[in-house]
Amino acid sequence: MHLPATALLTFIALIAPLRAQEESFEYWPGTRYDTTIPTFDDVLGHDAGERMVSHAEIQEYLDALARAAPDRIRVFEYARSWEDRELVYAVVASPENLAQIDAVRLGMQQLADPRVTDAAEADKLISDLPAVAWLAYGVHGNEISSVDAALQTAYHLLAAQGDPTVDEILAGAIVVIDPSQNPDGRDRWVNHYRVAAGLEADDSRWSAEHSEPWPGGRTNHYHFDLNRDYFALTQPETRGRVSVLQQWYPLVYVDLHEMGGDSTYYFAPSARPTNPHLTTTQKDNEELFGRVNASWFDHFGFDYFTREVYDAFYPGYGDSWPNFLGAVGMTYEQASTRGMVLRRSDGATMHFRDTVRQHFVASIGTAQAAARHRAQLLEDFYEYHRSAIEEGRSEEIRAYVLPRRGDVTMVDETARLLSMQGVEIGQSEGDLKACDDTFPPGSYSISLAQPRKRLVRTLLDQQVSMEGGFLAEQERRRQKRMPHQIYDITAFSLPYLFNIEAIPCASVPDGSLEWISGDERTPPADVAGAAVAYLVPWGSIGAARLLTGALRDGLSPLSTDLGFTQNEIDYPRGTLIFKVSDHSESLASTLSRLADASGATLVPTDTSWVESGTNFGSGNVERFRKVRIAMAWDSPTSGNVAGNTRYVMERRFGYPITAVRTRQLAAADLSRFDVLLLPGGSGYQSMLGDRGLSKLKDWVETGGTLIGFGGALSLLADPEVDLLASRREKRFGDSESEEEDDSEAEEKDDDSSRVDGVVIESESEYLAAIEPRGVSPDSVPGVLARAVVDQDHWITAGLPENVYAMLRGNAIYTPLRLEKGVNALRWAGPDDLVASGYLWEQNRRQLAYKPFVMVQPRGRGFVIGFTADPNFRGYSHGLNILFVNAVFRGSAHARPAL
């Protein structure tokens, strides 16, 4: 007998297991709820924790709550994602506090500046203001439970009746709920899960619903980890959040995450190391929240841990950056189901609703702690800013100067970036006198006697050090081959990342200064018409942007590999030459528009005569053409590296990239492209296969430019592939040990079951005896390393003598021999290698003098290898010129058959 379709659907619905299980589930047992406040089921057709909600459903439910209780909840949009999804936050408060949120914001802004708010005024504000608790959820789109917990928190605060905890919260606090910080990644995850889900939820971690396709939902549209972007502000989601946080100045900011499914729950206090620019009070106050959360977790029987894994050192986390606004910033981590149900390694089953509940309970506990300790937190907030100003007046470093020289575009960008984060910056109209020196007009001055003093020191100091005891423990662990406990990178100095000067001064600079805001830019000077050509000196971000814009507009510039002098002006290697005779009559207006948009320097010339150096018609002058760029996309590339690379080219330089699925490269017509980018990753060889590798070699031989980053070099330098005549190294000393063992083995008899006896006479000999052989160097958490630039190669045009790159991982490559190619940039010697951060001594010795960038000609084309990612997190701006050179100058120097 065949069931009708409607009957079959009814049958499936009846046997669906989850809904029946949910009916008795309570998030806060015993609570009576106001029936006029809509539940999940009323609006979305299912209970909280029963089905993961999409971004549109988040909006739908918040809107329903706002319609039901407009006097207690308001929803605000603060940004749009790359995919044009709105980012919102909801303010939940008592009717009295909600009605005065503008006054609350103003009061917090006044407390944040003790220069305009004296102690008496501060005392009055402290007595009147509620505590602002900011709860941020879902910065990683595949960390799924926090978003649903956000909505359950809003519902509970609005609907719970007669609950003393909720009453305490609403009496003393305003709760700001940022429900989904990464809506693009969230919807990528939700769509994956809904596509992969079967008849019933599968608890096997090997099932498709638990295994995301590349790149996963963690990151945003450009595959950025938004939890690393706070001081760099490369992404619209982060820029919007940083802006609105400076309107509210929350006393506590919590970023709610997920971790591996076999864990429990983590909340503050945080692990070591601690950023030395955080105050003791801020660290102590973490315990206020930890104790309240611990009491609720004990009450409900939830397991948790503190003071492990998740540190407060890197300033770009969502929980760490708000510390520099005077908040108590914390991360919470919930074990994840990565689906509706997960069988843990211990055999226990964990349901999605359980993970939602624990984040929900922690949210309520945090809001309660903020309300309970309102006065103390407000006093500490005011004191944070007062002491910052006082330290700025009394410490050895009292100001920073950003000289407007070198890459002035990047200097201007740095000033605007700091200003967007509330740093007060002055710009000189004439010469700036400071530090017993005189700096060019337009230079920037940053006095440290300001509320953002600690943020300035964190971002501009060359070195922010971890405590010695912590580092000693990491060295001890490393000697025993135990994993280190450094969670993220150890260096983040903007002067090195951006390759600009930031000069510390013992006194505040003299002179007339004009205060700048985050959206200001120094306008370019007016440009006169040219009879022969327009010149653009190379070496600035502005010049690179003008180049990419010109190529997209169909212009055809020349560029010199050598410098020249004209009209007593020295022009550097790489200078762009736009000849009037090569272009239409609109050249002047087009270049003026591009110069205005990019900030590039544009110089008209009425002659091609040069006093010295290269003439415009020299063989050392190359013509740029509109480059067609392809990039490997999808497995096995690293989503972060691929996304960061695409972002830098498309958004910083406005030039399109064709993303090609890696598995399609073997079949793709590569002749349609001039440049192919291979982002870091592992497994290229098996993905491309013999056919793909053969095509790749042929394409380079006929004039293609192949550029590989980081992990992709394991393909290019593989002896079986041999696209790059470099090889990856084992750990220093291992090869020699193995050779000695081999030679000794030849002299021994055939009994391989035994070895010669040895006497170990000391602990040092014992440690040497247990050292592993044939392994890779130890992994580096992340250090800013100094690279020396070969000024004779075209790829380095516009670069200073040294640049700085983020070194991570354990890949070290041998230099190219001169007959094979050029090591255009190499790491500095052992004493100069580390610019900022912490590097294991053995790695420092082995990395010294090894290549950072290798260029190897192959036929008519080039293979270019970067041993470190030049586009790290999209904020290694000091390497932008190098990356642009590799793409555009590499293509210009290739000789494809016409």
Side-chain angles (χ1 to χ4, degrees), residues 25-76:
F25 186 81
E26 293 184 279
Y27 279 91
W28 200 277
T31 305
R32 292 184 299 107
Y33 289 107
D34 182 352
T35 57
T36 66
I37 303 300
T39 65
F40 260 70
D41 195 28
D42 294 334
V43 178
L44 303 177
H46 60 85
D47 291 335
E50 182 182 321
R51 186 172 184 264
M52 282 166 276
V53 294
S54 67
H55 179 69
E57 290 169 328
I58 295 168
Q59 299 295 111
E60 183 181 1
Y61 189 60
L62 286 178
D63 289 344
L65 293 178
R67 287 193 299 271
D71 63 331
R72 288 177 287 152
I73 179 173
R74 289 176 62 186
V75 180
F76 300 87

Short mmCIF file of all heavy atoms in Angstrom, two decimals, residues 25-76:
data_model
loop_
_atom_site.label_atom_id
_atom_site.label_comp_id
_atom_site.label_asym_id
_atom_site.label_seq_id
_atom_site.Cartn_x
_atom_site.Cartn_y
_atom_site.Cartn_z
N PHE A 25 12.06 20.86 28.38
CA PHE A 25 13.35 21.47 28.64
C PHE A 25 13.16 22.91 29.12
O PHE A 25 12.40 23.67 28.54
CB PHE A 25 14.20 21.46 27.38
CG PHE A 25 15.61 21.93 27.60
CD1 PHE A 25 16.56 21.08 28.13
CD2 PHE A 25 15.98 23.23 27.29
CE1 PHE A 25 17.87 21.51 28.33
CE2 PHE A 25 17.28 23.67 27.50
CZ PHE A 25 18.23 22.80 28.02
N GLU A 26 13.84 23.27 30.22
CA GLU A 26 13.75 24.62 30.76
C GLU A 26 15.14 25.24 30.82
O GLU A 26 16.08 24.62 31.31
CB GLU A 26 13.15 24.60 32.16
CG GLU A 26 11.69 24.18 32.22
CD GLU A 26 11.15 24.27 33.64
OE1 GLU A 26 11.39 23.34 34.42
OE2 GLU A 26 10.52 25.31 33.95
N TYR A 27 15.24 26.48 30.37
CA TYR A 27 16.52 27.16 30.42
C TYR A 27 16.81 27.71 31.81
O TYR A 27 17.96 27.75 32.25
CB TYR A 27 16.55 28.28 29.38
CG TYR A 27 16.87 27.76 28.00
CD1 TYR A 27 15.86 27.37 27.13
CD2 TYR A 27 18.19 27.61 27.59
CE1 TYR A 27 16.17 26.86 25.87
CE2 TYR A 27 18.51 27.11 26.34
CZ TYR A 27 17.49 26.73 25.48
OH TYR A 27 17.79 26.21 24.25
N TRP A 28 15.79 28.18 32.50
CA TRP A 28 15.94 28.67 33.87
C TRP A 28 14.75 28.10 34.65
O TRP A 28 13.69 28.70 34.71
CB TRP A 28 15.94 30.20 33.90
CG TRP A 28 16.55 30.78 35.14
CD1 TRP A 28 15.94 30.97 36.34
CD2 TRP A 28 17.90 31.26 35.29
NE1 TRP A 28 16.81 31.53 37.23
CE2 TRP A 28 18.02 31.72 36.62
CE3 TRP A 28 18.99 31.34 34.45
CZ2 TRP A 28 19.21 32.26 37.12
CZ3 TRP A 28 20.17 31.88 34.94
CH2 TRP A 28 20.28 32.33 36.26
N PRO A 29 14.93 26.89 35.18
CA PRO A 29 13.79 26.16 35.76
C PRO A 29 13.01 26.97 36.78
O PRO A 29 13.57 27.72 37.59
CB PRO A 29 14.46 24.95 36.42
CG PRO A 29 15.72 24.76 35.63
CD PRO A 29 16.18 26.13 35.27
N GLY A 30 11.69 26.83 36.70
CA GLY A 30 10.79 27.45 37.66
C GLY A 30 10.38 28.87 37.34
O GLY A 30 9.63 29.48 38.10
N THR A 31 10.84 29.41 36.22
CA THR A 31 10.54 30.80 35.87
C THR A 31 9.14 30.92 35.28
O THR A 31 8.73 30.11 34.45
CB THR A 31 11.56 31.35 34.86
OG1 THR A 31 12.87 31.18 35.39
CG2 THR A 31 11.30 32.82 34.57
N ARG A 32 8.39 31.94 35.75
CA ARG A 32 7.12 32.28 35.11
C ARG A 32 7.38 33.38 34.09
O ARG A 32 8.08 34.36 34.37
CB ARG A 32 6.12 32.81 36.16
CG ARG A 32 5.64 31.76 37.14
CD ARG A 32 4.58 32.34 38.08
NE ARG A 32 5.10 33.47 38.87
CZ ARG A 32 4.77 34.74 38.66
NH1 ARG A 32 3.95 35.07 37.67
NH2 ARG A 32 5.27 35.70 39.44
N TYR A 33 6.85 33.20 32.89
CA TYR A 33 7.10 34.14 31.82
C TYR A 33 5.84 34.89 31.41
O TYR A 33 4.73 34.32 31.39
CB TYR A 33 7.69 33.42 30.60
CG TYR A 33 9.11 32.95 30.81
CD1 TYR A 33 9.40 31.59 30.98
CD2 TYR A 33 10.17 33.86 30.85
CE1 TYR A 33 10.70 31.16 31.18
CE2 TYR A 33 11.47 33.43 31.04
CZ TYR A 33 11.73 32.08 31.21
OH TYR A 33 13.03 31.66 31.41
N ASP A 34 6.01 36.13 31.10
CA ASP A 34 4.94 37.00 30.61
C ASP A 34 4.51 36.52 29.22
O ASP A 34 5.31 36.51 28.28
CB ASP A 34 5.46 38.44 30.56
CG ASP A 34 4.41 39.44 30.10
OD1 ASP A 34 3.32 39.02 29.67
OD2 ASP A 34 4.70 40.66 30.16
N THR A 35 3.27 36.14 29.08
CA THR A 35 2.79 35.58 27.81
C THR A 35 2.64 36.63 26.72
O THR A 35 2.44 36.28 25.55
CB THR A 35 1.44 34.87 28.02
OG1 THR A 35 0.50 35.80 28.57
CG2 THR A 35 1.60 33.68 28.96
N THR A 36 2.76 37.90 27.07
CA THR A 36 2.67 38.93 26.03
C THR A 36 4.00 39.11 25.30
O THR A 36 4.06 39.79 24.27
CB THR A 36 2.24 40.28 26.62
OG1 THR A 36 3.27 40.77 27.49
CG2 THR A 36 0.93 40.15 27.38
N ILE A 37 5.06 38.51 25.85
CA ILE A 37 6.36 38.56 25.18
C ILE A 37 6.48 37.31 24.32
O ILE A 37 6.39 36.19 24.82
CB ILE A 37 7.52 38.61 26.20
CG1 ILE A 37 7.35 39.80 27.14
CG2 ILE A 37 8.85 38.67 25.47
CD1 ILE A 37 7.35 41.15 26.45
N PRO A 38 6.67 37.44 23.02
CA PRO A 38 6.67 36.27 22.14
C PRO A 38 7.86 35.35 22.38
O PRO A 38 8.99 35.80 22.59
CB PRO A 38 6.73 36.87 20.74
CG PRO A 38 7.33 38.23 20.92
CD PRO A 38 6.85 38.71 22.27
N THR A 39 7.59 34.06 22.37
CA THR A 39 8.63 33.05 22.51
C THR A 39 9.25 32.76 21.14
O THR A 39 8.76 33.21 20.10
CB THR A 39 8.07 31.75 23.08
OG1 THR A 39 7.13 31.22 22.12
CG2 THR A 39 7.35 31.99 24.40
N PHE A 40 10.31 31.97 21.15
CA PHE A 40 10.86 31.46 19.89
C PHE A 40 9.76 30.81 19.06
O PHE A 40 9.63 31.05 17.86
CB PHE A 40 11.95 30.42 20.20
CG PHE A 40 13.36 30.90 20.12
CD1 PHE A 40 13.85 31.78 21.06
CD2 PHE A 40 14.20 30.46 19.12
CE1 PHE A 40 15.16 32.21 21.01
CE2 PHE A 40 15.51 30.88 19.05
CZ PHE A 40 16.00 31.75 20.00
N ASP A 41 9.02 29.94 19.72
CA ASP A 41 8.01 29.16 19.01
C ASP A 41 6.95 30.07 18.40
O ASP A 41 6.48 29.82 17.28
CB ASP A 41 7.37 28.16 19.97
CG ASP A 41 6.58 27.09 19.24
OD1 ASP A 41 6.93 26.79 18.08
OD2 ASP A 41 5.63 26.56 19.82
N ASP A 42 6.57 31.11 19.11
CA ASP A 42 5.56 32.03 18.58
C ASP A 42 6.01 32.67 17.27
O ASP A 42 5.20 32.87 16.36
CB ASP A 42 5.28 33.15 19.60
CG ASP A 42 4.62 32.64 20.87
OD1 ASP A 42 3.96 31.60 20.81
OD2 ASP A 42 4.80 33.30 21.92
N VAL A 43 7.28 32.97 17.18
CA VAL A 43 7.77 33.73 16.02
C VAL A 43 8.41 32.83 14.97
O VAL A 43 8.17 33.00 13.77
CB VAL A 43 8.80 34.79 16.49
CG1 VAL A 43 9.36 35.57 15.29
CG2 VAL A 43 8.17 35.74 17.49
N LEU A 44 9.21 31.86 15.42
CA LEU A 44 10.02 31.07 14.48
C LEU A 44 9.53 29.65 14.32
O LEU A 44 10.05 28.91 13.47
CB LEU A 44 11.49 31.06 14.95
CG LEU A 44 12.13 32.45 15.11
CD1 LEU A 44 13.56 32.32 15.63
CD2 LEU A 44 12.11 33.22 13.80
N GLY A 45 8.55 29.24 15.11
CA GLY A 45 7.98 27.91 14.93
C GLY A 45 8.74 26.79 15.60
O GLY A 45 8.49 25.61 15.32
N HIS A 46 9.66 27.11 16.48
CA HIS A 46 10.38 26.08 17.23
C HIS A 46 10.93 26.73 18.48
O HIS A 46 11.03 27.95 18.59
CB HIS A 46 11.52 25.48 16.41
CG HIS A 46 12.56 26.49 15.99
ND1 HIS A 46 13.61 26.87 16.78
CD2 HIS A 46 12.68 27.23 14.84
CE1 HIS A 46 14.35 27.78 16.16
NE2 HIS A 46 13.80 28.02 14.98
N ASP A 47 11.27 25.90 19.47
CA ASP A 47 11.80 26.42 20.72
C ASP A 47 13.29 26.75 20.58
O ASP A 47 13.98 26.26 19.68
CB ASP A 47 11.61 25.40 21.84
CG ASP A 47 10.15 25.25 22.21
OD1 ASP A 47 9.38 26.20 21.98
OD2 ASP A 47 9.77 24.16 22.71
N ALA A 48 13.80 27.56 21.50
CA ALA A 48 15.23 27.89 21.51
C ALA A 48 16.05 26.61 21.68
O ALA A 48 15.73 25.76 22.51
CB ALA A 48 15.53 28.86 22.64
N GLY A 49 17.11 26.49 20.89
CA GLY A 49 17.97 25.33 20.98
C GLY A 49 17.48 24.12 20.22
O GLY A 49 18.13 23.08 20.23
N GLU A 50 16.35 24.25 19.54
CA GLU A 50 15.80 23.12 18.78
C GLU A 50 16.25 23.16 17.33
O GLU A 50 16.34 22.12 16.67
CB GLU A 50 14.27 23.18 18.84
CG GLU A 50 13.57 22.03 18.14
CD GLU A 50 12.07 22.17 18.18
OE1 GLU A 50 11.54 22.59 19.23
OE2 GLU A 50 11.42 21.86 17.18
N ARG A 51 16.55 24.34 16.85
CA ARG A 51 16.97 24.50 15.45
C ARG A 51 17.82 25.77 15.36
O ARG A 51 17.48 26.79 15.94
CB ARG A 51 15.74 24.63 14.55
CG ARG A 51 16.02 24.67 13.06
CD ARG A 51 14.68 24.59 12.30
NE ARG A 51 14.87 24.54 10.85
CZ ARG A 51 14.82 25.60 10.06
NH1 ARG A 51 14.58 26.80 10.57
NH2 ARG A 51 15.00 25.46 8.76
N MET A 52 18.94 25.71 14.67
CA MET A 52 19.80 26.88 14.56
C MET A 52 19.16 27.96 13.71
O MET A 52 18.62 27.66 12.64
CB MET A 52 21.16 26.48 13.97
CG MET A 52 22.07 25.81 14.97
SD MET A 52 23.46 25.00 14.18
CE MET A 52 22.75 23.43 13.73
N VAL A 53 19.20 29.19 14.19
CA VAL A 53 18.51 30.27 13.49
C VAL A 53 19.45 30.96 12.51
O VAL A 53 20.65 31.11 12.76
CB VAL A 53 17.95 31.30 14.49
CG1 VAL A 53 16.87 30.67 15.35
CG2 VAL A 53 19.04 31.90 15.37
N SER A 54 18.89 31.37 11.40
CA SER A 54 19.63 32.13 10.40
C SER A 54 19.67 33.60 10.79
O SER A 54 18.99 34.04 11.72
CB SER A 54 18.97 31.99 9.03
OG SER A 54 17.69 32.63 9.05
N HIS A 55 20.44 34.37 10.02
CA HIS A 55 20.52 35.80 10.31
C HIS A 55 19.16 36.47 10.16
O HIS A 55 18.78 37.32 10.99
CB HIS A 55 21.54 36.47 9.38
CG HIS A 55 21.66 37.94 9.59
ND1 HIS A 55 22.21 38.49 10.72
CD2 HIS A 55 21.28 38.99 8.82
CE1 HIS A 55 22.17 39.80 10.65
NE2 HIS A 55 21.61 40.14 9.50
N ALA A 56 18.42 36.10 9.14
CA ALA A 56 17.10 36.71 8.94
C ALA A 56 16.17 36.38 10.10
O ALA A 56 15.37 37.23 10.53
CB ALA A 56 16.50 36.21 7.62
N GLU A 57 16.28 35.18 10.66
CA GLU A 57 15.44 34.80 11.79
C GLU A 57 15.86 35.54 13.06
O GLU A 57 15.01 35.86 13.91
CB GLU A 57 15.51 33.28 12.00
CG GLU A 57 14.81 32.52 10.88
CD GLU A 57 15.08 31.02 10.91
OE1 GLU A 57 16.21 30.63 11.33
OE2 GLU A 57 14.19 30.25 10.51
N ILE A 58 17.15 35.82 13.21
CA ILE A 58 17.60 36.65 14.34
C ILE A 58 16.91 38.00 14.28
O ILE A 58 16.36 38.48 15.28
CB ILE A 58 19.13 36.83 14.29
CG1 ILE A 58 19.85 35.50 14.49
CG2 ILE A 58 19.59 37.85 15.34
CD1 ILE A 58 21.34 35.57 14.17
N GLN A 59 16.94 38.61 13.11
CA GLN A 59 16.31 39.91 12.94
C GLN A 59 14.81 39.84 13.20
O GLN A 59 14.23 40.73 13.85
CB GLN A 59 16.57 40.43 11.53
CG GLN A 59 18.03 40.63 11.17
CD GLN A 59 18.67 41.72 12.00
OE1 GLN A 59 19.52 41.44 12.85
NE2 GLN A 59 18.27 42.94 11.79
N GLU A 60 14.21 38.79 12.69
CA GLU A 60 12.76 38.64 12.84
C GLU A 60 12.37 38.54 14.31
O GLU A 60 11.39 39.17 14.76
CB GLU A 60 12.30 37.39 12.08
CG GLU A 60 10.79 37.16 12.10
CD GLU A 60 10.38 35.92 11.35
OE1 GLU A 60 11.26 35.20 10.82
OE2 GLU A 60 9.16 35.65 11.29
N TYR A 61 13.14 37.77 15.08
CA TYR A 61 12.78 37.60 16.49
C TYR A 61 13.04 38.87 17.29
O TYR A 61 12.21 39.27 18.13
CB TYR A 61 13.56 36.43 17.08
CG TYR A 61 13.07 36.08 18.48
CD1 TYR A 61 11.75 35.69 18.70
CD2 TYR A 61 13.91 36.17 19.58
CE1 TYR A 61 11.28 35.40 19.98
CE2 TYR A 61 13.47 35.87 20.86
CZ TYR A 61 12.15 35.49 21.05
OH TYR A 61 11.69 35.21 22.31
N LEU A 62 14.16 39.54 17.04
CA LEU A 62 14.43 40.78 17.76
C LEU A 62 13.36 41.83 17.45
O LEU A 62 12.92 42.58 18.34
CB LEU A 62 15.81 41.32 17.40
CG LEU A 62 17.01 40.59 18.01
CD1 LEU A 62 18.31 41.22 17.50
CD2 LEU A 62 16.98 40.61 19.53
N ASP A 63 12.94 41.90 16.20
CA ASP A 63 11.89 42.85 15.82
C ASP A 63 10.59 42.53 16.55
O ASP A 63 9.87 43.45 16.98
CB ASP A 63 11.67 42.83 14.31
CG ASP A 63 12.82 43.46 13.54
OD1 ASP A 63 13.63 44.17 14.18
OD2 ASP A 63 12.91 43.23 12.32
N ALA A 64 10.30 41.23 16.69
CA ALA A 64 9.08 40.84 17.41
C ALA A 64 9.16 41.24 18.88
O ALA A 64 8.17 41.72 19.46
CB ALA A 64 8.86 39.33 17.27
N LEU A 65 10.33 41.06 19.50
CA LEU A 65 10.49 41.48 20.89
C LEU A 65 10.34 42.99 21.03
O LEU A 65 9.71 43.49 21.97
CB LEU A 65 11.86 41.04 21.42
CG LEU A 65 12.11 39.53 21.58
CD1 LEU A 65 13.54 39.29 22.07
CD2 LEU A 65 11.11 38.90 22.54
N ALA A 66 10.91 43.73 20.08
CA ALA A 66 10.84 45.20 20.14
C ALA A 66 9.40 45.69 19.98
O ALA A 66 9.00 46.69 20.59
CB ALA A 66 11.74 45.80 19.08
N ARG A 67 8.61 44.99 19.15
CA ARG A 67 7.21 45.39 19.00
C ARG A 67 6.42 45.08 20.27
O ARG A 67 5.52 45.83 20.66
CB ARG A 67 6.58 44.66 17.82
CG ARG A 67 7.05 45.16 16.46
CD ARG A 67 6.16 44.60 15.35
NE ARG A 67 6.19 43.15 15.29
CZ ARG A 67 7.06 42.45 14.57
NH1 ARG A 67 7.98 43.08 13.84
NH2 ARG A 67 7.01 41.13 14.57
N ALA A 68 6.78 43.99 20.94
CA ALA A 68 6.03 43.58 22.13
C ALA A 68 6.39 44.41 23.35
O ALA A 68 5.53 44.61 24.23
CB ALA A 68 6.29 42.09 22.42
N ALA A 69 7.61 44.88 23.45
CA ALA A 69 8.04 45.62 24.65
C ALA A 69 8.88 46.83 24.25
O ALA A 69 10.07 46.92 24.59
CB ALA A 69 8.82 44.70 25.58
N PRO A 70 8.31 47.78 23.54
CA PRO A 70 9.11 48.92 23.05
C PRO A 70 9.66 49.79 24.15
O PRO A 70 10.60 50.56 23.91
CB PRO A 70 8.11 49.69 22.18
CG PRO A 70 6.76 49.30 22.71
CD PRO A 70 6.89 47.89 23.14
N ASP A 71 9.11 49.70 25.35
CA ASP A 71 9.61 50.51 26.46
C ASP A 71 10.79 49.84 27.17
O ASP A 71 11.41 50.45 28.05
CB ASP A 71 8.50 50.78 27.47
CG ASP A 71 7.96 49.50 28.11
OD1 ASP A 71 8.01 48.43 27.43
OD2 ASP A 71 7.49 49.57 29.26
N ARG A 72 11.12 48.60 26.79
CA ARG A 72 12.19 47.87 27.47
C ARG A 72 13.27 47.33 26.53
O ARG A 72 14.29 46.83 27.00
CB ARG A 72 11.60 46.73 28.30
CG ARG A 72 10.86 47.21 29.54
CD ARG A 72 10.25 46.05 30.28
NE ARG A 72 9.08 45.50 29.57
CZ ARG A 72 8.68 44.23 29.66
NH1 ARG A 72 9.34 43.38 30.41
NH2 ARG A 72 7.61 43.83 28.99
N ILE A 73 13.06 47.39 25.23
CA ILE A 73 14.08 46.93 24.29
C ILE A 73 14.03 47.77 23.03
O ILE A 73 12.95 48.08 22.51
CB ILE A 73 13.91 45.42 23.93
CG1 ILE A 73 15.00 45.00 22.92
CG2 ILE A 73 12.52 45.12 23.42
CD1 ILE A 73 15.00 43.50 22.64
N ARG A 74 15.21 48.18 22.57
CA ARG A 74 15.34 48.89 21.31
C ARG A 74 16.48 48.25 20.52
O ARG A 74 17.48 47.80 21.09
CB ARG A 74 15.62 50.38 21.53
CG ARG A 74 14.42 51.14 22.07
CD ARG A 74 14.77 52.59 22.36
NE ARG A 74 15.18 53.31 21.15
CZ ARG A 74 15.64 54.57 21.15
NH1 ARG A 74 15.73 55.23 22.30
NH2 ARG A 74 15.99 55.15 20.03
N VAL A 75 16.31 48.20 19.21
CA VAL A 75 17.28 47.55 18.32
C VAL A 75 17.90 48.61 17.42
O VAL A 75 17.19 49.43 16.82
CB VAL A 75 16.61 46.44 17.48
CG1 VAL A 75 17.63 45.78 16.57
CG2 VAL A 75 15.95 45.40 18.39
N PHE A 76 19.23 48.60 17.31
CA PHE A 76 19.97 49.57 16.52
C PHE A 76 20.86 48.86 15.51
O PHE A 76 21.52 47.87 15.84
CB PHE A 76 20.86 50.43 17.42
CG PHE A 76 20.13 51.21 18.47
CD1 PHE A 76 19.83 50.63 19.71
CD2 PHE A 76 19.73 52.51 18.24
CE1 PHE A 76 19.17 51.34 20.69
CE2 PHE A 76 19.07 53.24 19.22
CZ PHE A 76 18.77 52.65 20.44
#
